[in-house]
Amino acid sequence: MARVTLADVARAAGVDMSTASRVLRGESSQRVREETRDRILKIAADLQYLANPLARGLRTQRTDTLGIVVPQLDNPVFASAIRGAELAAAKLGYSLLISHREPGATATTIAKISQTNRVDGLLVASLDDDEVLRTDRAAARVPFVLMNRILPGAPLSVVLDSRAAARKAVDHLTSLGHRRIVHLAGRSGGFNARERLQGYRDGLEAAGIPFDESLVAVAGYTAEGGADAMRALLAARPTAVLAATLVSAAGAMATLHEAGLRIPEDVSVTGLHDAPVAGMLYPPLTSVAMPTEEMGRVAATLLIRSLAGETPDPVAPLPPGALVIRRSTGPTLS
């Protein structure tokens, strides 16, 4: 069956192609009689007409597509952010192109996507150092919104209030009587790692517990990193653990099981970010819910507003959600 064209719709509706095109694009700058508009839309629906985005892009130099670049596809944090961005983009008439870039990768993913006219703007989440991200941002030829971190000089970003989330988790642990709490930190020197470490320290200070640097180990954002960091801290004999992420918390729990320690009887474990997988761990993990889907939605909306020529105001850090208490935390027995 031959593809229905704009000319077919215009011919059936008895109008010229420019009128049909304006109606189907939703333009309202030029008046078209309501009955004519309705007739064009009905005929387009009856003929199952689909606009040719490639041809439109050649005319307008726009793709009506956003790009989102993430460092991990199997991490619930980024999966949730992608979902939020996709929902917001679709609502405003945009598609979403997903690109995966491993931390430390040398390929100029961002430059390639933006310079080949594949997207109108980019949403970027990255675990790379600031200098790498600055290079990428300079190479991008389209508007650029950062997710889950702040980069000095980059005007548009949407972040989570990781400091408040870490404080909420530590408050829970200290309310259970824990005083020897170790922290499995994020990437050394990273924005979120600093925020979470400060929230950890805030919680200790509020409970009158001195900060001890030896009780902090860098775990990064993988299960392997969490397992290794927990292994390094076993000699400190902690009664509780705050992991920077759900994924590193899962790795820490695996190490505790291997060491023959009971959760939560010997060591309580909590992490930041909540997802269905938290309830599937053994025991189910206590975690602080974070609005990652909302982050993706807000970032996509911010980018589209920027594409429309607006100058959006900076977005305040999105506050954490509830502490979801499960069986991985309990009162200290020591």
Side-chain angles (χ1 to χ4, degrees), residues 5 39 43 89 213 244 254 256 306 324:
T5 67
R39 184 170 72 253
I43 289 172
E213 190 174 355
L256 292 171
S306 177
V324 183

Coordinates of all heavy atoms in Angstrom, one line a residue, residues 5 39 43 89 213 244 254 256 306 324:
T5 N 0.5 10.8 1.4 CA 1.3 12.0 1.5 C 0.4 13.2 1.8 O -0.8 13.2 1.8 CB 1.9 12.3 0.1 OG1 0.9 12.6 -0.8 CG2 2.7 11.1 -0.4
R39 N -12.3 19.4 8.7 CA -12.4 18.5 7.5 C -11.0 18.0 7.2 O -10.8 16.8 7.0 CB -12.9 19.3 6.3 CG -13.0 18.4 5.1 CD -13.8 19.1 3.9 NE -13.0 20.1 3.3 CZ -13.2 21.4 3.5 NH1 -14.2 21.9 4.2 NH2 -12.5 22.3 2.8
I43 N -10.0 14.0 7.5 CA -9.5 13.3 6.3 C -8.1 12.7 6.6 O -7.8 11.6 6.3 CB -9.4 14.2 5.1 CG1 -10.9 14.5 4.7 CG2 -8.6 13.6 4.0 CD1 -11.0 15.5 3.6
A89 N 8.5 14.7 27.3 CA 8.8 15.1 25.9 C 7.6 14.7 25.0 O 7.2 15.5 24.1 CB 10.0 14.3 25.4
E213 N 36.7 10.2 59.8 CA 37.0 10.0 58.3 C 37.3 8.5 58.0 O 37.0 8.1 56.9 CB 38.2 10.9 57.9 CG 38.4 10.9 56.4 CD 39.5 11.9 56.1 OE1 39.9 12.6 57.0 OE2 39.8 12.0 54.9
A244 N 25.5 5.3 49.4 CA 25.2 6.4 48.6 C 24.1 6.1 47.6 O 23.3 7.0 47.2 CB 26.4 6.9 47.9
A254 N 25.7 -8.0 50.2 CA 26.3 -9.2 49.7 C 27.6 -9.5 50.5 O 27.9 -10.6 51.0 CB 26.7 -9.2 48.2
L256 N 28.3 -8.4 53.6 CA 27.9 -8.7 55.0 C 27.4 -10.2 55.1 O 27.8 -10.9 56.0 CB 26.8 -7.8 55.4 CG 27.3 -6.3 55.6 CD1 26.1 -5.4 55.9 CD2 28.3 -6.2 56.8
S306 N 13.6 26.1 26.8 CA 14.8 26.8 26.3 C 14.8 26.8 24.8 O 15.1 27.8 24.1 CB 16.0 26.1 26.8 OG 17.2 26.7 26.3
V324 N 11.5 4.8 53.2 CA 10.8 3.6 53.1 C 11.4 2.6 54.0 O 12.5 2.0 53.7 CB 10.7 3.1 51.7 CG1 9.9 1.8 51.5 CG2 10.2 4.2 50.7

